[in-house]
Amino acid sequence: MSLEEIKTRIAKAEEAAGRAPGSVHLIAVSKVQPNERVEAVLEEGHRCFGENRVQEAAGKWPGFAERFDGIDLHLIGPLQSNKARQAMELFDSIHSVDRPKLAKAIARLAQELGHCPDLFIQVNTGEEEQKAGILPADADAFISECRALDLPVKGLMCIPPVDEEPALHFALLAKIAARNGLDGLSMGMSSDFETAIALGATHVRVGSAIFGERVKPTE
Ligand SMILES: *Cc1c(COP(=O)(O)O)cnc(C)c1O
């Protein structure tokens, strides 16, 4: 599928849901994709990209940024506190804030650096042991804690369990966001972004549907 086709599908999903045109941001997830594929999408004029590893992003995005203006880079994978500084210097948004220790590290670094990326709090809506994210029951308290630290929390993010109906998870995330007065919803991937848009997604994270199957495994 091409970038244009995905954009068309997003526009149709926005319209079907009665959402304003352009209200959904397309994050093109470029992790482990060969540079030629990423470059082709940059050449088409797209500027919003997602990576799930700080190290990998640090290896390729500074080079692209020298050649292409206005890149908007999102960290969508787990973040260790000891990589927070590097992540904050590299990314415009971080979607994986999920525990007090990390929130405190980001707050401290924001003071020191004088800027902070937009933040999304990851919620483990499926309560999966192996998955990152704050548990739904702890989300309200953690959101308050992040706000008390003056962090720029823009919204919530989730990755539904592979074997469950994603709509239930998107609806749960939207509910937690609404009751906390948060507008941003980072949800929906290649296989389910239209469902996510119907349920209020503001940021969809689409990888393989744009770039093709990933060449290497990511985990
Ligand atoms: C890889 C990844 C995506 C994109 O997945 P696709 O199925 O290729 O669209 C989205 N979100 C996160 C957090 C990812 O790690």
Side-chain angles (χ1 to χ4, degrees):
M1 212 164 290
S2 70
L3 178 68
E4 277 316 310
E5 281 174 275
I6 298 294
K7 287 200 213 163
T8 303
R9 285 173 57 187
I10 289 174
K12 283 194 181 137
E14 283 173 340
E15 195 184 349
R19 311 262 315 267
S23 54
V24 177
H25 299 269
L26 170 59
I27 302 174
V29 178
S30 50
K31 65 185 183 196
V32 307
Q33 295 290 353
N35 280 349
E36 312 84 74
R37 288 191 192 165
V38 180
E39 231 172 286
V41 171
L42 281 160
E43 295 287 0
E44 282 187 73
H46 195 73
R47 290 295 181 267
C48 181
F49 290 85
E51 290 283 344
N52 73 336
R53 285 168 183 269
V54 177
Q55 223 50 50
E56 184 186 339
K60 63 187 186 201
W61 284 99
F64 285 138
E66 282 177 14
R67 297 172 41 218
F68 299 92
D69 281 337
I71 288 169
D72 179 23
L73 199 57
H74 296 248
L75 177 64
I76 60 172
L79 177 59
Q80 293 170 313
S81 301
N82 64 7
K83 296 243 175 77
R85 173 189 295 271
Q86 193 182 9
M88 289 170 73
E89 287 170 345
L90 194 58
F91 290 95
D92 302 289
S93 300
I94 296 175
H95 293 236
S96 48
V97 180
D98 66 349
R99 57 198 191 279
K101 186 184 174 200
L102 177 61
K104 285 177 195 146
I106 292 174
R108 193 168 1 92
L109 288 159
Q111 288 287 323
E112 187 187 322
L113 300 170
H115 73 92
C116 189
D118 287 344
L119 302 178
F120 290 75
I121 291 172
Q122 183 173 353
V123 183
N124 187 354
T125 56
E127 306 189 23
E128 296 171 281
E129 234 160 70
Q130 78 286 6
K131 203 165 270 174
I134 191 102
L135 291 173
D138 300 330
D140 294 356
F142 184 56
I143 293 164
S144 300
E145 187 174 349
C146 290
R147 284 177 161 154
L149 289 166
D150 262 339
L151 293 177
V153 178
K154 302 297 174 187
L156 304 181
M157 177 270 219
C158 77
I159 309 170
V162 283
D163 53 354
E164 286 183 27
E165 175 50 60
L168 300 173
H169 295 270
F170 298 153
L172 173 60
L173 196 72
K175 192 172 124 187
I176 298 171
R179 73 174 180 236
N180 285 282
L182 288 168
D183 299 325
L185 284 172
S186 168
M187 57 190 199
M189 314 192 346
S190 290
S191 57
D192 54 23
F193 66 88
E194 284 141 322
T195 305
I197 291 169
L199 290 161
T202 57
H203 294 70
V204 294
R205 311 178 307 264
V206 181
S208 41
I210 295 174
F211 294 104
E213 286 308 311
R214 281 181 283 278
V215 183
K216 289 179 284 177
T218 52
E219 304 304 331

